Structures are given as C-alpha cells and as structure tokens.
Amino acid sequence: MRVIFAGTPEFAQVALAQLQAAGHTIVLVLTQPDRPAGRGMKLQASPVKQHALTHGIPVAQPRSLRLDGKYPEDAVAAQALLQAAQADVMVVVAYGLILPQWVLDVPRQGCLNIHASLLPRWRGAAPIHRAIEAGDAETGVAIMQMDAGLDTGDMLLVESLPIAPDDTTGSLHDKLADLGGRMVVQALAQLDTLVPVHQPAEGITYAHKIEKREAAIAWTQSADTIVRRVRAFNPFPGAATLLAGESLKIWAASVSDATPPASAVYGSIVAVAQNYIAVAAMDSIVNITQVQRPGGKRLAVADFLRGCDLQPGMVFESAPDVPAAR
C-alpha cells in the first residue's frame, strides 16, 4: 500500500521500520519539528525523521495542521503534500499534533492509529506511564480507525499484554512498540475484512501528559504507590527525592515485607544494607536499590554507598506539591 506515516518518537520509529519491512511504500513522513536536546541543547531530529532520511523518504515537519490556526502557511503546505502523495492509508503513531478533519479525509482508506493501551482505558498522551502508575495488571495495543476525537475512534484490532512486576515505562515501551508495529502490519493486510468495533462507553480514563513535578516522591504515600511511581517515571522524568538538600534520582525500588518502627517518620532511613536502603513510607518500607546523584551515573546501592555515608535516622524529604496517595 501507499502509506503516509505520521509519528515522532522511538515508539513510532519501530512501527515505521516494520511497515517498510512488510513491503509497504512510505510516500511521505510527517514528524514534529526539530527540538533542542542534550547538554548542548542543539536542534535534534526526531527518531522518525532520522529513520526517514536514512531511507530516502520525503519528510514534512509542519508546526500545525490547522488551516485556521497559528501557522496556516504550514498547514497549507502540508495539505498540498498529503494530497499529492495519493496515499491509500495514513498510519499515525505518537505524532504529537491533532489531526483536523481534512487530514482524516485525505487517504483513500482513512487514518489508522497505534495506541498503547486497551482502549477506552488510558486515552491520551501517556498511556504507558499511567498504566504502571495505576498498578494495572495488563495493558496492550489498539489499532484504531481515527476520527476527530481524542482516541475515540472504532477499534480494528486489540491485543493485550501483561505488565510484569518489574516493568518500567522503558521496558514496557519496548514491548508495546514491537507489538504495535506487528499489529499495524496485520491490520493493513486485513484492512478490507476487519470489522470496526465501537469503544465501550464505560471504563474511559485519560492518560494526561507527564509533568516533571510529578516525579517528586512523597514519602507520606504508601510504599506500593511510591514504587509504582518509580517504575512509571523510569526513564522519564525519574523519581526524585531530597537528602540534606541534594536531589537524588531513584531508579529502582521494591516494597519490603517489613513494617517501619512506630517512631519512624515518613522518609526516614530505617536500615542501610549492602544492596538496599530501607526507607519508611506511609504503611510499609521502600527498599531503594538504584540511585543517581546530580551529574553522576545510575548506581546500584552497593556502589552508591561507597561514596555516600548514609545512616539510619537520616531523612529523605518529601515534596509538598506531590498529590496524596492513590
């Protein structure tokens, strides 16, 4: 098929590569404009753009697709490119722009979206993070026929995937990216025979965009909540806490079976072992196993303790703007 592809991050790049490998012709790629990134804050092309340029695929980076929006000149130029592409279908994966109706109407067989959740649960920008944060037992991928709403279109294919107890957003992202790529290839192969299914009216939740401030650990929350948030915010933005005024990133932790002493304040270190730091939370103890200091590397606790003398009774500070336990 002749495919227009719209996507930006690595999750989308995986699907783009699988579509090419399946023999589809990618006639045009839409992706977000280059953004400053890294320590030098130099402009950096998205993973999708890098892949497209490597494979000689035409790329467009409109700032908007709304003809009546802030950048109408970008939308007009994109409209000409999309219409000239004469595409059979458009595949959209974590693109980052809302598609107006005129875009949905351009491809002969409409626009398909790869969404990393079991819709209608976790519509929106951060479904992988939110599924882990909420303690969901499973997630998955939905291939959706797009409409003008936010992840509200009819579903063509759905496949579930268990969330492992040690899954982080990073590890689950990779599993779902591969699954989504395989499923969209299957959807295109069966597009004429797939039966669209309306999303259920019940069970709708929204995966709001991750804010950096959410990463601050509140030790007044339950140990289970804290550990889920550590996993959900790995690799971005990284769960954070303060110790003696220094910000530390907590990259890995588990819930202990032990109960904190009655005298322990939330966030206090109750034990320092070779491989973990035990910290009192609301109802239990969090065993921290991987830490990072500002400007340093991620370290297993055994390595971290060689350069940081922690003692029971020291207190990790909670951030006041973190929401209460969920």
Side-chain angles (χ1 to χ4, degrees), residues 50-98:
Q50 294 177 42
H51 181 98
L53 294 179
T54 300
H55 292 83
I57 304 170
V59 175
Q61 298 175 272
R63 292 167 292 180
S64 172
L65 292 169
R66 290 185 54 186
L67 296 170
D68 59 349
K70 186 176 180 181
Y71 303 105
E73 66 277 13
D74 285 29
V76 169
Q79 187 176 46
L81 289 172
L82 265 66
Q83 290 173 342
Q86 297 183 335
D88 298 306
V89 70
M90 182 170 174
V91 174
V92 183
V93 194
Y95 176 33
L97 288 182
I98 298 294

Short mmCIF file of all heavy atoms in Angstrom, two decimals, residues 50-98:
data_model
loop_
_atom_site.label_atom_id
_atom_site.label_comp_id
_atom_site.label_asym_id
_atom_site.label_seq_id
_atom_site.Cartn_x
_atom_site.Cartn_y
_atom_site.Cartn_z
N GLN A 50 14.97 10.80 11.54
CA GLN A 50 16.27 10.20 11.28
C GLN A 50 16.13 8.93 10.43
O GLN A 50 16.89 8.70 9.49
CB GLN A 50 16.98 9.89 12.60
CG GLN A 50 17.35 11.13 13.41
CD GLN A 50 17.98 10.77 14.75
OE1 GLN A 50 18.79 9.86 14.85
NE2 GLN A 50 17.60 11.49 15.80
N HIS A 51 15.13 8.12 10.78
CA HIS A 51 14.89 6.89 10.00
C HIS A 51 14.50 7.23 8.57
O HIS A 51 14.99 6.62 7.60
CB HIS A 51 13.80 6.07 10.68
CG HIS A 51 13.49 4.79 9.97
ND1 HIS A 51 14.02 3.58 10.34
CD2 HIS A 51 12.71 4.53 8.87
CE1 HIS A 51 13.59 2.63 9.52
NE2 HIS A 51 12.78 3.18 8.64
N ALA A 52 13.61 8.20 8.42
CA ALA A 52 13.13 8.56 7.08
C ALA A 52 14.26 9.07 6.21
O ALA A 52 14.39 8.68 5.03
CB ALA A 52 12.03 9.61 7.20
N LEU A 53 15.10 9.93 6.74
CA LEU A 53 16.21 10.48 5.95
C LEU A 53 17.19 9.38 5.56
O LEU A 53 17.71 9.37 4.43
CB LEU A 53 16.93 11.57 6.74
CG LEU A 53 16.11 12.85 7.03
CD1 LEU A 53 16.93 13.84 7.84
CD2 LEU A 53 15.62 13.49 5.73
N THR A 54 17.44 8.46 6.47
CA THR A 54 18.34 7.35 6.18
C THR A 54 17.82 6.49 5.03
O THR A 54 18.61 5.94 4.24
CB THR A 54 18.53 6.47 7.44
OG1 THR A 54 19.08 7.25 8.49
CG2 THR A 54 19.44 5.28 7.15
N HIS A 55 16.49 6.40 4.91
CA HIS A 55 15.88 5.55 3.88
C HIS A 55 15.32 6.34 2.70
O HIS A 55 14.59 5.79 1.88
CB HIS A 55 14.78 4.68 4.51
CG HIS A 55 15.31 3.65 5.46
ND1 HIS A 55 15.61 3.93 6.78
CD2 HIS A 55 15.62 2.33 5.28
CE1 HIS A 55 16.07 2.84 7.37
NE2 HIS A 55 16.08 1.87 6.50
N GLY A 56 15.67 7.61 2.62
CA GLY A 56 15.29 8.40 1.47
C GLY A 56 13.81 8.70 1.35
O GLY A 56 13.28 8.84 0.23
N ILE A 57 13.13 8.79 2.48
CA ILE A 57 11.69 9.06 2.48
C ILE A 57 11.46 10.56 2.65
O ILE A 57 12.07 11.18 3.53
CB ILE A 57 10.98 8.30 3.61
CG1 ILE A 57 11.26 6.79 3.51
CG2 ILE A 57 9.48 8.57 3.59
CD1 ILE A 57 10.79 6.02 4.74
N PRO A 58 10.61 11.18 1.83
CA PRO A 58 10.33 12.61 2.00
C PRO A 58 9.76 12.91 3.38
O PRO A 58 8.94 12.15 3.91
CB PRO A 58 9.30 12.90 0.91
CG PRO A 58 9.45 11.80 -0.09
CD PRO A 58 9.89 10.60 0.69
N VAL A 59 10.19 14.03 3.97
CA VAL A 59 9.78 14.40 5.33
C VAL A 59 9.18 15.80 5.34
O VAL A 59 9.70 16.71 4.69
CB VAL A 59 10.99 14.37 6.30
CG1 VAL A 59 10.59 14.88 7.68
CG2 VAL A 59 11.57 12.96 6.39
N ALA A 60 8.09 15.96 6.07
CA ALA A 60 7.49 17.28 6.32
C ALA A 60 7.36 17.47 7.82
O ALA A 60 7.04 16.51 8.54
CB ALA A 60 6.14 17.41 5.64
N GLN A 61 7.60 18.69 8.30
CA GLN A 61 7.56 18.98 9.74
C GLN A 61 6.71 20.22 10.03
O GLN A 61 7.20 21.20 10.57
CB GLN A 61 8.97 19.17 10.28
CG GLN A 61 9.86 17.93 10.14
CD GLN A 61 11.28 18.19 10.57
OE1 GLN A 61 12.11 18.62 9.78
NE2 GLN A 61 11.58 17.93 11.84
N PRO A 62 5.43 20.16 9.70
CA PRO A 62 4.57 21.33 9.96
C PRO A 62 4.41 21.59 11.45
O PRO A 62 4.33 20.66 12.25
CB PRO A 62 3.24 20.93 9.32
CG PRO A 62 3.24 19.43 9.35
CD PRO A 62 4.67 19.04 9.12
N ARG A 63 4.35 22.86 11.80
CA ARG A 63 4.11 23.22 13.20
C ARG A 63 2.64 23.08 13.56
O ARG A 63 2.28 22.96 14.74
CB ARG A 63 4.57 24.67 13.44
CG ARG A 63 6.09 24.85 13.36
CD ARG A 63 6.46 26.32 13.29
NE ARG A 63 6.03 26.90 12.02
CZ ARG A 63 6.24 28.18 11.67
NH1 ARG A 63 6.83 29.00 12.54
NH2 ARG A 63 5.83 28.62 10.50
N SER A 64 1.80 23.06 12.58
CA SER A 64 0.36 22.88 12.80
C SER A 64 -0.26 22.34 11.52
O SER A 64 0.27 22.55 10.42
CB SER A 64 -0.29 24.21 13.18
OG SER A 64 -1.70 24.09 13.21
N LEU A 65 -1.39 21.64 11.67
CA LEU A 65 -2.15 21.17 10.50
C LEU A 65 -3.50 21.87 10.41
O LEU A 65 -4.32 21.52 9.56
CB LEU A 65 -2.34 19.65 10.60
CG LEU A 65 -1.06 18.82 10.45
CD1 LEU A 65 -1.32 17.37 10.81
CD2 LEU A 65 -0.51 18.93 9.03
N ARG A 66 -3.72 22.85 11.25
CA ARG A 66 -4.98 23.59 11.23
C ARG A 66 -4.90 24.74 10.24
O ARG A 66 -4.06 25.64 10.37
CB ARG A 66 -5.29 24.12 12.63
CG ARG A 66 -5.68 23.05 13.63
CD ARG A 66 -6.08 23.68 14.95
NE ARG A 66 -7.13 24.69 14.78
CZ ARG A 66 -7.57 25.46 15.76
NH1 ARG A 66 -7.04 25.36 16.97
NH2 ARG A 66 -8.52 26.35 15.53
N LEU A 67 -5.78 24.71 9.26
CA LEU A 67 -5.78 25.76 8.23
C LEU A 67 -6.17 27.11 8.82
O LEU A 67 -5.82 28.16 8.26
CB LEU A 67 -6.74 25.38 7.10
CG LEU A 67 -6.34 24.11 6.32
CD1 LEU A 67 -7.48 23.69 5.39
CD2 LEU A 67 -5.06 24.34 5.53
N ASP A 68 -6.89 27.10 9.94
CA ASP A 68 -7.30 28.35 10.59
C ASP A 68 -6.53 28.59 11.88
O ASP A 68 -6.95 29.36 12.74
CB ASP A 68 -8.80 28.32 10.90
CG ASP A 68 -9.17 27.16 11.83
OD1 ASP A 68 -8.32 26.27 12.04
OD2 ASP A 68 -10.32 27.15 12.33
N GLY A 69 -5.37 27.93 12.02
CA GLY A 69 -4.61 28.01 13.26
C GLY A 69 -3.51 29.05 13.23
O GLY A 69 -3.51 29.98 12.40
N LYS A 70 -2.54 28.87 14.12
CA LYS A 70 -1.46 29.84 14.30
C LYS A 70 -0.49 29.85 13.13
O LYS A 70 0.11 30.89 12.82
CB LYS A 70 -0.72 29.53 15.60
CG LYS A 70 0.32 30.55 15.98
CD LYS A 70 0.96 30.21 17.33
CE LYS A 70 2.02 31.23 17.72
NZ LYS A 70 2.65 30.90 19.02
N TYR A 71 -0.31 28.69 12.50
CA TYR A 71 0.64 28.60 11.38
C TYR A 71 -0.08 28.09 10.13
O TYR A 71 0.18 26.98 9.66
CB TYR A 71 1.78 27.65 11.75
CG TYR A 71 2.53 28.03 12.99
CD1 TYR A 71 2.34 27.34 14.19
CD2 TYR A 71 3.44 29.10 12.98
CE1 TYR A 71 3.02 27.70 15.34
CE2 TYR A 71 4.13 29.45 14.13
CZ TYR A 71 3.91 28.75 15.31
OH TYR A 71 4.60 29.10 16.45
N PRO A 72 -0.98 28.88 9.56
CA PRO A 72 -1.75 28.41 8.40
C PRO A 72 -0.87 28.09 7.20
O PRO A 72 -1.20 27.22 6.40
CB PRO A 72 -2.70 29.58 8.11
CG PRO A 72 -2.04 30.77 8.73
CD PRO A 72 -1.33 30.26 9.94
N GLU A 73 0.27 28.78 7.09
CA GLU A 73 1.16 28.51 5.96
C GLU A 73 1.72 27.09 6.03
O GLU A 73 1.89 26.43 5.00
CB GLU A 73 2.30 29.54 5.90
CG GLU A 73 3.29 29.50 7.05
CD GLU A 73 2.84 30.25 8.30
OE1 GLU A 73 1.66 30.62 8.40
OE2 GLU A 73 3.69 30.48 9.19
N ASP A 74 2.00 26.60 7.25
CA ASP A 74 2.48 25.22 7.40
C ASP A 74 1.39 24.24 7.01
O ASP A 74 1.64 23.23 6.34
CB ASP A 74 2.89 24.96 8.85
CG ASP A 74 4.21 25.60 9.22
OD1 ASP A 74 4.54 26.64 8.63
OD2 ASP A 74 4.90 25.07 10.11
N ALA A 75 0.15 24.52 7.43
CA ALA A 75 -0.97 23.63 7.13
C ALA A 75 -1.25 23.57 5.63
O ALA A 75 -1.52 22.49 5.08
CB ALA A 75 -2.21 24.07 7.89
N VAL A 76 -1.18 24.72 4.96
CA VAL A 76 -1.44 24.76 3.51
C VAL A 76 -0.38 23.96 2.77
O VAL A 76 -0.69 23.18 1.84
CB VAL A 76 -1.48 26.22 3.02
CG1 VAL A 76 -1.47 26.26 1.49
CG2 VAL A 76 -2.70 26.94 3.57
N ALA A 77 0.89 24.11 3.18
CA ALA A 77 1.96 23.37 2.53
C ALA A 77 1.81 21.86 2.77
O ALA A 77 2.00 21.05 1.85
CB ALA A 77 3.32 23.84 3.05
N ALA A 78 1.43 21.50 4.00
CA ALA A 78 1.22 20.08 4.31
C ALA A 78 0.05 19.52 3.53
O ALA A 78 0.09 18.37 3.06
CB ALA A 78 0.99 19.91 5.81
N GLN A 79 -1.00 20.31 3.36
CA GLN A 79 -2.17 19.86 2.61
C GLN A 79 -1.80 19.51 1.18
O GLN A 79 -2.22 18.47 0.65
CB GLN A 79 -3.24 20.94 2.63
CG GLN A 79 -4.56 20.50 2.01
CD GLN A 79 -5.62 21.58 2.13
OE1 GLN A 79 -5.36 22.76 1.86
NE2 GLN A 79 -6.83 21.20 2.55
N ALA A 80 -0.97 20.34 0.57
CA ALA A 80 -0.54 20.07 -0.81
C ALA A 80 0.27 18.78 -0.88
O ALA A 80 0.09 17.97 -1.81
CB ALA A 80 0.28 21.25 -1.32
N LEU A 81 1.15 18.55 0.10
CA LEU A 81 1.97 17.34 0.11
C LEU A 81 1.12 16.09 0.32
O LEU A 81 1.31 15.07 -0.36
CB LEU A 81 3.02 17.43 1.21
CG LEU A 81 4.17 18.42 1.00
CD1 LEU A 81 5.02 18.53 2.26
CD2 LEU A 81 5.04 17.99 -0.18
N LEU A 82 0.17 16.16 1.24
CA LEU A 82 -0.66 15.00 1.53
C LEU A 82 -1.54 14.63 0.33
O LEU A 82 -1.70 13.45 0.00
CB LEU A 82 -1.53 15.25 2.77
CG LEU A 82 -0.97 14.73 4.10
CD1 LEU A 82 0.30 15.49 4.48
CD2 LEU A 82 -2.00 14.88 5.22
N GLN A 83 -2.10 15.63 -0.31
CA GLN A 83 -2.95 15.35 -1.46
C GLN A 83 -2.15 14.81 -2.63
O GLN A 83 -2.61 13.91 -3.35
CB GLN A 83 -3.70 16.62 -1.85
CG GLN A 83 -4.77 17.04 -0.83
CD GLN A 83 -5.40 18.38 -1.13
OE1 GLN A 83 -4.86 19.19 -1.89
NE2 GLN A 83 -6.56 18.64 -0.51
N ALA A 84 -0.94 15.32 -2.82
CA ALA A 84 -0.10 14.85 -3.93
C ALA A 84 0.41 13.43 -3.69
O ALA A 84 0.76 12.73 -4.64
CB ALA A 84 1.08 15.80 -4.12
N ALA A 85 0.46 13.00 -2.43
CA ALA A 85 1.00 11.68 -2.12
C ALA A 85 0.12 10.54 -2.62
O ALA A 85 0.60 9.42 -2.80
CB ALA A 85 1.19 11.55 -0.61
N GLN A 86 -1.17 10.81 -2.83
CA GLN A 86 -2.12 9.80 -3.31
C GLN A 86 -2.01 8.51 -2.50
O GLN A 86 -1.86 7.41 -3.03
CB GLN A 86 -1.89 9.53 -4.80
CG GLN A 86 -2.13 10.75 -5.68
CD GLN A 86 -1.98 10.45 -7.15
OE1 GLN A 86 -1.27 9.52 -7.54
NE2 GLN A 86 -2.64 11.23 -7.98
N ALA A 87 -2.11 8.67 -1.18
CA ALA A 87 -1.92 7.54 -0.28
C ALA A 87 -3.19 6.70 -0.15
O ALA A 87 -4.31 7.21 -0.23
CB ALA A 87 -1.51 8.05 1.10
N ASP A 88 -2.99 5.40 0.05
CA ASP A 88 -4.11 4.52 0.37
C ASP A 88 -4.55 4.69 1.82
O ASP A 88 -5.74 4.62 2.13
CB ASP A 88 -3.69 3.06 0.16
CG ASP A 88 -3.33 2.77 -1.29
OD1 ASP A 88 -4.16 3.06 -2.17
OD2 ASP A 88 -2.21 2.28 -1.53
N VAL A 89 -3.58 4.92 2.70
CA VAL A 89 -3.88 4.98 4.13
C VAL A 89 -2.82 5.83 4.82
O VAL A 89 -1.70 6.00 4.31
CB VAL A 89 -3.91 3.55 4.74
CG1 VAL A 89 -2.52 2.94 4.76
CG2 VAL A 89 -4.54 3.54 6.12
N MET A 90 -3.16 6.37 5.98
CA MET A 90 -2.19 7.09 6.80
C MET A 90 -2.10 6.37 8.14
O MET A 90 -3.13 6.04 8.76
CB MET A 90 -2.65 8.54 7.01
CG MET A 90 -1.70 9.41 7.82
SD MET A 90 -2.23 11.15 7.71
CE MET A 90 -1.09 11.93 8.86
N VAL A 91 -0.89 6.10 8.59
CA VAL A 91 -0.66 5.47 9.89
C VAL A 91 -0.10 6.52 10.83
O VAL A 91 0.90 7.17 10.51
CB VAL A 91 0.31 4.27 9.76
CG1 VAL A 91 0.66 3.73 11.14
CG2 VAL A 91 -0.31 3.17 8.90
N VAL A 92 -0.73 6.66 11.98
CA VAL A 92 -0.37 7.70 12.94
C VAL A 92 0.04 7.04 14.26
O VAL A 92 -0.70 6.23 14.81
CB VAL A 92 -1.55 8.67 13.20
CG1 VAL A 92 -1.14 9.79 14.14
CG2 VAL A 92 -2.06 9.23 11.87
N VAL A 93 1.24 7.40 14.75
CA VAL A 93 1.77 6.81 15.98
C VAL A 93 2.48 7.90 16.78
O VAL A 93 3.53 8.38 16.36
CB VAL A 93 2.79 5.68 15.69
CG1 VAL A 93 3.04 4.87 16.96
CG2 VAL A 93 2.37 4.81 14.54
N ALA A 94 1.91 8.30 17.90
CA ALA A 94 2.57 9.27 18.79
C ALA A 94 3.13 10.44 18.00
O ALA A 94 4.28 10.82 18.17
CB ALA A 94 3.69 8.56 19.57
N TYR A 95 2.28 11.02 17.18
CA TYR A 95 2.72 12.11 16.32
C TYR A 95 2.91 13.41 17.09
O TYR A 95 3.92 14.10 16.96
CB TYR A 95 1.72 12.28 15.17
CG TYR A 95 1.99 13.45 14.24
CD1 TYR A 95 3.28 13.87 13.94
CD2 TYR A 95 0.93 14.13 13.64
CE1 TYR A 95 3.52 14.93 13.08
CE2 TYR A 95 1.15 15.18 12.78
CZ TYR A 95 2.44 15.59 12.51
OH TYR A 95 2.67 16.64 11.66
N GLY A 96 1.92 13.77 17.90
CA GLY A 96 2.04 14.98 18.70
C GLY A 96 1.23 16.16 18.22
O GLY A 96 1.24 17.22 18.84
N LEU A 97 0.52 16.01 17.09
CA LEU A 97 -0.39 17.04 16.60
C LEU A 97 -1.78 16.45 16.43
O LEU A 97 -1.92 15.30 16.02
CB LEU A 97 0.07 17.63 15.26
CG LEU A 97 1.30 18.54 15.24
CD1 LEU A 97 1.54 19.03 13.81
CD2 LEU A 97 1.16 19.71 16.18
N ILE A 98 -2.79 17.24 16.74
CA ILE A 98 -4.17 16.84 16.48
C ILE A 98 -4.43 16.88 14.99
O ILE A 98 -4.06 17.84 14.31
CB ILE A 98 -5.16 17.77 17.21
CG1 ILE A 98 -4.93 17.69 18.74
CG2 ILE A 98 -6.60 17.43 16.87
CD1 ILE A 98 -5.26 16.35 19.33
#
